[in-house]
C-alpha cells in the first residue's frame, strides 16, 4: 500500500487518502493531550459491504446444523440461527481492526497502545450499515517527542563524597569483633580478619576499596544532580501507556526482591495490595520515565549515537549478571 501525499485540512490536523483492498480510505489526524493522537477515518461503502460478507463467510464455517455441511449453510438459515446483530458486530470488529492497521501504515503513526474507539463500540454498531459509508475516530497513545529548553549552561548541586583516611582505622577496629577487648593490631590480626598476610597489606587494601567507593558515590551523586537539572528542562507529555509500563516494571522488581527473600509473592500480592502499590509507585515511574526521555532528547539535540556493537556488548555483560530464572525482556534491556 503506497501512502498518498498528505495535505493539511486545518491547523494541527493532517489528511490523506490511501487504497486498501480496492477501497479508498480517507484519514485526518489531530493531536490530543497526553501524547495521544486522534485519527478520523472515513470508510467507503464498498469496504463496509465486503467486510460484512467476510463476516458471514467466517461465521458460516463455525456453525454446525443437522442436514447441512459445514460452511454450506444457506445465508437465510445462517442469519436466522446467528442473528443479524451478531453478524454486524463481527463485521464491525474486523473492520475497525483492519482500518486501524491500515491507518498506522498509511500515516506512519508511531502508536504505542491499542486504540480506543471514540463514542464506544455499541454506539458505532448502531450507525453501522453494510453497504453504506462509515466514519469513526480512533484515539491512541503515540511515541512522545521530548525536547529540552536548554542543554548548555545547566547548574547542578551535588553532595561531594571524598575519601576519609580515618575510615581505615574504623574498619580495622570493627572487623566480625567478638569481645570488648581489642586484639593486637598486627600481622596476626590481619591474617585472622582477612585474606591478607600483613597489617600493611590490609590497610592498603582497605584504603583502595574506600577510595573506589568514595569515587563511585561521588560520580553517582554528580550524575543524579546533572540528570535532575536536565529533567527540569524537559518538555514532554507522558503517555499513560508508558507510565503504566513503568509502574508494572517497578512492581515486578519489588516482587522479585521479595521472592529472593523467600516470601510467597502470590499470596502476598493481593488485588488490594497491587492497586495500592500501583498508586504509590506512580510518582517514581513518572520520574524514571522523565529521566529516560530527557536523555533521549539530549542525545537527539547533541547528535549522540551509540553503535549497535556497543549495545550488544553491554547487553551481554548485563545478562551474565541475571540468574537463569530471571525473566528479562531483551528489547527493554537494549533500550535501557
Amino acid at each position: 500500500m503506497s501512502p498518498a501525499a498528505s495535505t493539511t485540512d486545518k491547523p494541527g490536523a493532517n489528511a490523506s487518502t490511501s487504497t486498501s483492498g480496492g477501497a479508498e480510505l480517507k484519514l485526518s489526524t489531530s493531536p490530543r493531550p497526553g501524547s495521544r493522537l486522534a485519527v478520523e477515518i472515513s470508510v467507503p461503502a464498498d469496504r463496509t459491504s465486503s467486510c460484512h460478507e467476510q463476516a458471514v463467510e467466517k461465521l458460516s464455517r463455525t456453525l454446525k446444523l443437522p442436514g447441512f455441511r459445514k460452511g454450506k449453510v444457506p445465508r437465510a438459515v445462517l442469519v436466522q440461527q446467528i442473528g443479524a446483530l451478531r453478524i454486524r458486530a463481527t463485521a464491525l470488529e474486523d473492520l475497525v481492526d483492519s482500518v486501524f492497521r491500515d491507518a498506522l501504515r498509511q500515516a506512519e503513526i508511531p502508536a504505542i497502545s491499542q486504540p480506543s474507539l471514540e463514542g464506544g463500540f455499541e454506539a458505532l454498531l448502531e450507525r453501522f450499515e453494510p453497504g453504506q459509508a462509515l466514519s469513526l475516530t480512533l484515539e491512541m497513545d503515540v511515541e512522545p517527542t521530548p525536547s529540552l529548553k536548554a542543554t548548555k549552561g545547566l547548574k547542578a548541586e551535588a553532595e561531594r563524597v571524598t575519601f576519609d583516611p580515618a575510615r581505615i582505622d574504623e574498619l580495622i577496629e570493627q572487623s566480625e569483633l567478638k569481645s570488648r577487648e581489642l586484639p593486637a593490631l598486627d600481622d596476626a590480626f590481619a591474617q585472622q580478619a582477612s585474606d591478607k598476610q600483613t597489617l600493611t597489606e590490609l590497610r592498603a587494601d582497605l584504603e583502595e576499596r574506600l577510595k573506589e567507593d568514595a569515587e563511585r558515590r561521588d560520580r553517582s551523586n554528580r550524575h543524579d544532580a546533572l540528570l535532575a537539572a536536565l529533567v527540569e528542562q524537559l518538555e514532554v507529555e507522558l503517555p499513560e501507556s508508558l507510565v503504566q509500563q513503568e509502574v508494572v516494571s517497578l512492581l515486578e522488581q519489588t516482587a522479585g526482591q521479595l521472592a529472593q527473600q523467600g516470601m510467597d509473592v502470590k499470596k502476598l500480592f493481593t488485588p488490594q495490595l497491587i492497586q495500592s502499590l500501583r498508586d504509590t509507585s506512580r510518582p517514581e515511574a513518572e520520574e524514571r520515565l522523565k529521566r529516560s526521555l530527557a536523555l533521549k532528547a539530549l542525545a537527539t539535540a547533541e547528535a549522540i549515537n551509540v553503535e549497535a556493537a556497543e549495545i550488544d556488548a553491554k547487553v551481554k555483560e548485563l545478562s551474565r549478571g541475571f540468574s537463569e530464572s530471571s525473566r528479562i525482556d531483551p528489547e527493554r534491556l537494549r533500550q535501557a
Side-chain angles (χ1 to χ4, degrees):
M1 175 171 56
S2 301
S6 294
T7 59
T8 301
D9 274 352
K10 53 187 176 181
N14 291 327
S16 61
T17 61
S18 74
T19 300
S20 177
E24 188 179 66
L25 191 65
K26 296 180 180 179
L27 307 175
S28 65
T29 61
S30 55
R32 296 282 174 89
S35 191
R36 287 176 69 78
L37 187 72
V39 184
E40 299 175 10
I41 305 172
S42 297
V43 184
D46 57 351
R47 185 159 181 175
T48 65
S49 178
S50 63
C51 202
H52 186 265
E53 291 302 313
Q54 291 169 10
V56 171
E57 182 181 346
K58 179 169 71 173
L59 290 171
S60 70
R61 293 195 296 268
T62 65
L63 187 63
K64 295 181 180 180
L65 288 178
F68 297 99
R69 287 186 298 167
K70 194 173 183 179
K72 299 297 183 179
V73 179
R75 186 187 186 94
V77 176
L78 177 71
V79 173
Q80 183 181 24
Q81 291 292 321
I82 293 181
L85 182 61
R86 181 183 171 188
I87 296 174
R88 285 175 48 238
T90 300
L92 184 58
E93 287 176 355
D94 294 342
L95 179 64
V96 171
D97 182 64
S98 65
V99 160
F100 171 61
R101 287 185 278 106
D102 284 350
L104 294 186
R105 288 194 296 267
Q106 174 184 328
E108 298 181 349
I109 299 171
I112 56 175
S113 72
Q114 288 299 310
S116 59
L117 191 58
E118 190 172 81
F121 184 81
E122 295 299 328
L124 185 63
L125 182 59
E126 290 181 4
R127 296 193 290 111
F128 175 52
E129 289 295 337
Q132 294 184 15
L134 180 69
S135 61
L136 58 95
T137 300
L138 297 174
E139 190 173 317
M140 66 212 74
D141 285 353
V142 294
E143 282 285 354
T145 307
S147 62
L148 297 170
K149 290 177 285 188
T151 59
K152 307 289 186 182
L154 303 184
K155 294 184 179 180
E157 294 185 3
E159 181 182 354
R160 290 299 307 273
V161 180
T162 57
F163 165 66
D164 182 6
R167 286 284 294 149
I168 298 177
D169 292 327
E170 291 180 14
L171 288 178
I172 288 177
E173 291 175 1
Q174 292 171 6
S175 296
E176 307 311 333
L177 282 175
K178 294 184 179 179
S179 66
R180 294 182 180 179
E181 184 179 352
L182 289 175
L185 299 181
D186 52 17
D187 293 348
F189 166 79
Q191 295 170 15
Q192 180 181 2
S194 70
D195 59 352
K196 305 304 176 184
Q197 296 301 308
T198 67
L199 184 61
T200 301
E201 290 178 355
L202 175 59
R203 294 183 65 87
D205 179 64
L206 290 175
E207 180 178 352
E208 181 181 356
R209 286 195 287 168
L210 286 172
K211 284 181 177 179
E212 290 178 352
D213 180 66
E215 291 173 359
R216 178 187 58 78
R217 289 190 290 137
D218 188 57
R219 284 196 306 270
S220 178
N221 286 352
R222 288 188 286 112
H223 175 273
D224 290 344
L226 287 170
L227 194 49
L230 196 64
V231 168
E232 290 181 0
Q233 304 298 315
L234 179 65
E235 293 182 324
V236 71
E237 293 188 34
L238 299 180
E240 183 61 22
S241 56
L242 288 188
V243 174
Q244 291 303 321
Q245 286 179 19
E246 203 64 41
V247 167
V248 170
S249 177
L250 286 171
L251 293 184
E252 289 176 344
Q253 289 181 18
T254 301
Q257 292 168 357
L258 294 176
Q260 288 180 350
Q261 296 174 17
M263 297 186 184
D264 190 335
V265 176
K266 290 184 178 180
K267 290 184 178 179
L268 183 63
F269 273 42
T270 62
Q272 293 81 6
L273 178 60
I274 291 175
Q275 185 57 52
S276 176
L277 289 175
R278 278 182 173 276
D279 295 338
T280 57
S281 297
R282 187 181 181 95
E284 183 181 354
E286 291 181 349
E287 184 62 24
R288 281 174 41 156
L289 195 53
K290 287 179 181 178
R291 289 186 173 197
S292 176
L293 292 173
L295 291 173
K296 180 179 180 181
L298 179 65
T300 300
E302 300 295 325
I304 301 172
N305 295 305
V306 182
E307 297 295 332
E310 294 182 74
I311 298 177
D312 291 338
K314 193 64 176 178
V315 168
K316 290 180 180 178
E317 176 188 336
L318 294 175
S319 297
R320 286 194 291 268
F322 299 131
S323 63
E324 294 182 1
S325 60
S326 299
R327 293 181 297 176
I328 304 299
D329 184 343
E331 185 55 35
R332 290 199 68 183
L333 181 58
R334 289 184 65 83
Q335 292 174 0

